[in-house]
Amino acid sequence: PGHTRAFLKVQEGCDHACAYCIIPAARGRSRSVPPDEILRQIGVLRAEGVAEVVLTGIHLGGYGRELKPKTDLATLLERIADAGVIGRVRLSSLDPREVSQRLLRVVAQVNIFCDHLHICLQSGADETLKAMRRNYDTAYYRDLLERARAYLPHPALGSDIIVGFPGETEGSFARSVQFLDSLPLTYFHVFPYSIPRGTSAAGLPGHVSPVVKKQRARIVRELGA
Protein backbone atom coordinates (compact mmCIF):
# COMPACT_ATOMS: atom_id res chain seq x y z
CA PRO A 1 0.00 0.00 0.00
CA GLY A 2 1.21 3.46 -0.88
CA HIS A 3 3.65 2.29 -3.54
CA THR A 4 3.17 3.18 -7.22
CA ARG A 5 5.48 0.48 -8.62
CA ALA A 6 4.88 -3.28 -8.38
CA PHE A 7 6.99 -6.27 -9.42
CA LEU A 8 5.20 -8.99 -11.36
CA LYS A 9 6.99 -12.32 -11.82
CA VAL A 10 6.11 -13.75 -15.23
CA GLN A 11 8.75 -16.48 -15.54
CA GLU A 12 10.56 -18.96 -13.28
CA GLY A 13 13.53 -21.32 -13.69
CA CYS A 14 16.29 -21.40 -16.29
CA ASP A 15 17.43 -23.66 -19.14
CA HIS A 16 20.99 -22.29 -19.28
CA ALA A 17 24.02 -23.82 -17.56
CA CYS A 18 26.28 -20.93 -16.54
CA ALA A 19 29.24 -22.29 -14.56
CA TYR A 20 28.65 -20.09 -11.49
CA CYS A 21 24.89 -20.53 -11.13
CA ILE A 22 22.89 -23.04 -9.09
CA ILE A 23 19.46 -21.78 -10.21
CA PRO A 24 18.73 -24.49 -12.84
CA ALA A 25 19.24 -27.17 -10.17
CA ALA A 26 17.42 -25.23 -7.45
CA ARG A 27 14.42 -23.93 -9.42
CA GLY A 28 14.13 -26.22 -12.42
CA ARG A 29 13.58 -25.59 -16.09
CA SER A 30 12.07 -22.41 -17.50
CA ARG A 31 8.31 -22.01 -17.20
CA SER A 32 6.15 -19.00 -17.92
CA VAL A 33 2.87 -17.48 -16.76
CA PRO A 34 0.33 -17.48 -19.63
CA PRO A 35 -0.26 -14.04 -21.20
CA ASP A 36 -3.95 -13.89 -20.25
CA GLU A 37 -3.08 -14.42 -16.59
CA ILE A 38 -0.40 -11.72 -16.74
CA LEU A 39 -2.91 -9.26 -18.18
CA ARG A 40 -5.38 -10.16 -15.43
CA GLN A 41 -2.76 -9.63 -12.72
CA ILE A 42 -1.69 -6.28 -14.19
CA GLY A 43 -5.33 -5.21 -14.17
CA VAL A 44 -5.62 -6.13 -10.48
CA LEU A 45 -2.49 -4.13 -9.66
CA ARG A 46 -3.73 -1.13 -11.64
CA ALA A 47 -7.04 -1.23 -9.78
CA GLU A 48 -5.08 -1.05 -6.53
CA GLY A 49 -3.38 2.17 -7.63
CA VAL A 50 -0.17 0.82 -9.19
CA ALA A 51 1.12 3.08 -11.99
CA GLU A 52 4.18 1.06 -13.07
CA VAL A 53 4.68 -2.71 -13.37
CA VAL A 54 8.15 -4.27 -13.53
CA LEU A 55 8.12 -7.61 -15.35
CA THR A 56 10.56 -9.97 -13.66
CA GLY A 57 11.82 -13.52 -14.05
CA ILE A 58 14.82 -15.69 -13.34
CA HIS A 59 15.37 -15.86 -17.11
CA LEU A 60 13.01 -13.19 -18.38
CA GLY A 61 14.32 -13.29 -21.95
CA GLY A 62 13.28 -16.95 -22.21
CA TYR A 63 9.63 -16.07 -21.56
CA GLY A 64 7.05 -18.16 -23.40
CA ARG A 65 9.22 -20.74 -25.15
CA GLU A 66 7.55 -23.69 -23.46
CA LEU A 67 3.98 -22.34 -23.60
CA LYS A 68 1.46 -23.71 -26.07
CA PRO A 69 1.17 -21.89 -28.36
CA LYS A 70 4.79 -20.80 -28.11
CA THR A 71 5.39 -17.08 -27.64
CA ASP A 72 8.14 -14.65 -26.59
CA LEU A 73 8.78 -11.54 -24.54
CA ALA A 74 8.31 -9.08 -27.41
CA THR A 75 4.89 -10.56 -28.19
CA LEU A 76 3.91 -10.31 -24.52
CA LEU A 77 4.87 -6.62 -24.51
CA GLU A 78 2.75 -6.03 -27.60
CA ARG A 79 -0.23 -7.69 -25.91
CA ILE A 80 0.19 -5.57 -22.78
CA ALA A 81 0.37 -2.40 -24.89
CA ASP A 82 -2.68 -3.36 -26.97
CA ALA A 83 -4.72 -4.18 -23.87
CA GLY A 84 -4.15 -0.72 -22.38
CA VAL A 85 -4.15 -2.11 -18.84
CA ILE A 86 -1.28 -0.03 -17.42
CA GLY A 87 0.49 3.21 -18.29
CA ARG A 88 4.08 2.26 -17.54
CA VAL A 89 6.04 -1.02 -17.86
CA ARG A 90 9.68 -1.74 -17.07
CA LEU A 91 11.74 -4.88 -17.75
CA SER A 92 14.09 -6.49 -15.24
CA SER A 93 17.40 -8.09 -16.22
CA LEU A 94 17.95 -9.75 -19.60
CA ASP A 95 20.65 -11.97 -21.11
CA PRO A 96 22.43 -10.39 -24.12
CA ARG A 97 21.41 -13.07 -26.62
CA GLU A 98 17.75 -12.49 -25.85
CA VAL A 99 17.60 -8.76 -26.56
CA SER A 100 16.33 -9.05 -30.12
CA GLN A 101 15.89 -6.34 -32.72
CA ARG A 102 12.13 -6.83 -32.38
CA LEU A 103 12.24 -6.40 -28.61
CA LEU A 104 14.25 -3.18 -28.98
CA ARG A 105 11.79 -1.93 -31.59
CA VAL A 106 8.76 -2.59 -29.37
CA VAL A 107 10.33 -0.85 -26.37
CA ALA A 108 11.33 2.10 -28.54
CA GLN A 109 8.03 2.55 -30.37
CA VAL A 110 5.49 2.11 -27.55
CA ASN A 111 5.59 4.88 -24.99
CA ILE A 112 4.42 2.80 -22.02
CA PHE A 113 7.76 0.95 -21.97
CA CYS A 114 10.56 2.61 -19.98
CA ASP A 115 13.77 3.36 -21.89
CA HIS A 116 15.65 1.17 -19.44
CA LEU A 117 17.42 -2.10 -20.20
CA HIS A 118 19.44 -4.13 -17.71
CA ILE A 119 21.59 -6.44 -19.86
CA CYS A 120 23.85 -8.78 -17.87
CA LEU A 121 27.49 -8.80 -19.02
CA GLN A 122 29.21 -10.52 -16.03
CA SER A 123 32.77 -9.93 -17.33
CA GLY A 124 34.55 -7.76 -19.87
CA ALA A 125 37.20 -10.40 -20.66
CA ASP A 126 36.43 -13.02 -23.30
CA GLU A 127 38.41 -15.78 -21.58
CA THR A 128 36.40 -15.24 -18.39
CA LEU A 129 33.10 -15.25 -20.28
CA LYS A 130 34.10 -18.57 -21.87
CA ALA A 131 34.98 -20.05 -18.47
CA MET A 132 31.63 -18.84 -17.15
CA ARG A 133 29.92 -20.63 -20.08
CA ARG A 134 28.21 -17.46 -21.24
CA ASN A 135 26.95 -17.65 -24.84
CA TYR A 136 28.37 -14.37 -26.18
CA ASP A 137 31.64 -12.45 -26.27
CA THR A 138 32.60 -8.83 -25.67
CA ALA A 139 32.28 -7.91 -29.37
CA TYR A 140 28.67 -9.12 -29.39
CA TYR A 141 27.90 -7.21 -26.20
CA ARG A 142 29.36 -3.95 -27.51
CA ASP A 143 27.39 -4.30 -30.75
CA LEU A 144 24.21 -4.96 -28.76
CA LEU A 145 24.61 -1.77 -26.73
CA GLU A 146 25.22 0.19 -29.93
CA ARG A 147 21.99 -1.24 -31.38
CA ALA A 148 20.14 -0.37 -28.16
CA ARG A 149 21.42 3.20 -28.42
CA ALA A 150 20.29 3.38 -32.04
CA TYR A 151 16.72 2.49 -31.03
CA LEU A 152 16.73 4.38 -27.73
CA PRO A 153 18.86 7.54 -27.96
CA HIS A 154 18.79 8.25 -24.21
CA PRO A 155 18.32 4.93 -22.39
CA ALA A 156 19.35 3.84 -18.94
CA LEU A 157 21.60 0.83 -19.60
CA GLY A 158 22.58 -1.33 -16.64
CA SER A 159 24.57 -4.50 -16.19
CA ASP A 160 25.67 -7.14 -13.67
CA ILE A 161 29.43 -7.68 -13.21
CA ILE A 162 31.09 -10.57 -11.38
CA VAL A 163 34.69 -10.00 -10.22
CA GLY A 164 37.14 -12.61 -8.97
CA PHE A 165 35.78 -15.55 -10.99
CA PRO A 166 38.17 -18.55 -10.80
CA GLY A 167 41.04 -18.03 -13.23
CA GLU A 168 40.55 -14.25 -13.46
CA THR A 169 44.15 -12.99 -13.57
CA GLU A 170 45.37 -9.45 -13.04
CA GLY A 171 45.59 -9.14 -16.82
CA SER A 172 42.09 -10.39 -17.56
CA PHE A 173 40.67 -8.18 -14.81
CA ALA A 174 42.47 -5.15 -16.27
CA ARG A 175 41.05 -5.95 -19.73
CA SER A 176 37.59 -6.29 -18.21
CA VAL A 177 37.85 -2.87 -16.54
CA GLN A 178 39.10 -1.31 -19.76
CA PHE A 179 36.19 -2.82 -21.68
CA LEU A 180 33.66 -1.60 -19.11
CA ASP A 181 35.17 1.88 -19.24
CA SER A 182 34.57 2.00 -23.01
CA LEU A 183 30.86 1.09 -22.87
CA PRO A 184 27.84 3.45 -22.79
CA LEU A 185 26.52 1.89 -19.58
CA THR A 186 24.66 3.96 -17.01
CA TYR A 187 25.37 1.81 -13.93
CA PHE A 188 26.75 -1.56 -12.77
CA HIS A 189 25.66 -4.04 -10.13
CA VAL A 190 28.96 -5.53 -8.92
CA PHE A 191 29.26 -8.93 -7.23
CA PRO A 192 32.43 -10.55 -5.85
CA TYR A 193 32.32 -14.19 -6.98
CA SER A 194 30.94 -16.57 -4.36
CA ILE A 195 31.22 -20.37 -4.47
CA PRO A 196 27.80 -22.06 -4.55
CA ARG A 197 28.14 -25.78 -3.87
CA GLY A 198 27.05 -27.93 -6.78
CA THR A 199 28.19 -25.57 -9.53
CA SER A 200 30.92 -26.49 -12.00
CA ALA A 201 32.81 -23.27 -11.19
CA ALA A 202 33.36 -24.46 -7.62
CA GLY A 203 35.82 -27.06 -8.91
CA LEU A 204 37.76 -24.75 -11.23
CA PRO A 205 41.41 -23.92 -10.51
CA GLY A 206 42.69 -20.44 -9.86
CA HIS A 207 40.34 -19.25 -7.14
CA VAL A 208 40.88 -15.60 -6.24
CA SER A 209 41.47 -14.61 -2.62
CA PRO A 210 38.70 -12.77 -0.75
CA VAL A 211 40.98 -9.75 -0.28
CA VAL A 212 41.66 -9.45 -4.02
CA LYS A 213 37.97 -9.93 -4.86
CA LYS A 214 37.08 -7.11 -2.48
CA GLN A 215 39.69 -4.85 -4.07
CA ARG A 216 38.46 -5.62 -7.59
CA ALA A 217 34.84 -5.03 -6.61
CA ARG A 218 35.79 -1.61 -5.22
CA ILE A 219 37.60 -0.68 -8.45
CA VAL A 220 34.61 -1.61 -10.62
CA ARG A 221 32.11 0.11 -8.32
CA GLU A 222 34.18 3.28 -8.45
CA LEU A 223 34.23 3.07 -12.25
CA GLY A 224 30.45 2.65 -12.27
CA ALA A 225 30.04 5.69 -10.05
Side-chain angles (χ1 to χ4, degrees):
H3 288 266
T4 59
R5 175 187 292 171
F7 294 84
L8 180 58
K9 194 169 190 178
V10 300
Q11 184 276 336
E12 175 65 280
C14 184
D15 294 339
H16 287 325
C18 297
Y20 52 80
C21 186
I22 197 66
I23 283 173
R27 301 198 183 185
R29 295 183 64 83
S30 180
R31 52 210 184 272
S32 308
V33 178
D36 288 344
E37 175 60 15
I38 293 170
L39 292 174
R40 187 193 70 79
Q41 292 183 18
I42 292 174
V44 169
L45 291 169
R46 183 68 188 94
E48 293 177 355
V50 168
E52 178 182 314
V53 167
V54 184
L55 302 181
T56 72
I58 294 298
H59 182 204
L60 182 61
Y63 174 82
R65 291 175 182 169
E66 84 296 345
L67 291 177
K68 295 180 181 178
K70 183 178 178 180
T71 187
D72 58 25
L73 184 58
T75 301
L76 174 63
L77 296 188
E78 289 174 339
R79 286 203 57 183
I80 292 171
D82 291 343
V85 287
I86 195 80
R88 189 173 171 91
V89 177
R90 190 183 302 270
L91 300 177
S92 64
S93 60
L94 298 163
D95 276 356
R97 287 285 183 185
E98 286 150 1
V99 183
S100 65
Q101 296 279 100
R102 181 165 167 248
L103 182 64
L104 289 172
R105 187 166 57 249
V106 171
V107 172
Q109 292 179 349
V110 183
N111 62 9
I112 71 166
F113 300 120
C114 300
D115 290 354
H116 170 213
L117 295 171
H118 188 90
I119 307 172
C120 302
L121 172 61
Q122 309 301 6
S123 173
D126 284 333
E127 62 269 32
T128 306
L129 289 174
K130 184 175 180 180
M132 289 176 168
R133 296 209 298 249
R134 300 294 282 173
N135 61 358
Y136 53 87
D137 59 15
T138 53
Y140 181 90
Y141 191 86
R142 183 189 298 279
D143 180 68
L144 173 59
L145 292 195
E146 290 174 354
R147 281 185 277 128
R149 286 274 178 174
Y151 278 97
L152 305 165
H154 304 289
L157 296 175
S159 191
D160 291 346
I161 309 296
I162 296 173
V163 299
F165 188 77
E168 183 184 68
T169 64
E170 289 293 338
S172 59
F173 175 69
R175 286 191 295 277
S176 183
V177 172
Q178 185 178 27
F179 180 70
L180 289 167
D181 192 29
S182 72
L183 296 176
L185 288 168
T186 311
Y187 65 90
F188 313 143
H189 292 164
V190 184
F191 304 92
Y193 170 74
S194 59
I195 311 172
R197 288 182 297 173
T199 64
S200 61
L204 290 175
H207 280 261
V208 179
S209 75
V211 172
V212 172
K213 284 191 284 190
K214 186 176 181 179
Q215 292 171 343
R216 291 178 182 178
R218 176 181 53 79
I219 289 168
V220 177
R221 288 183 180 124
E222 288 176 355
L223 176 62

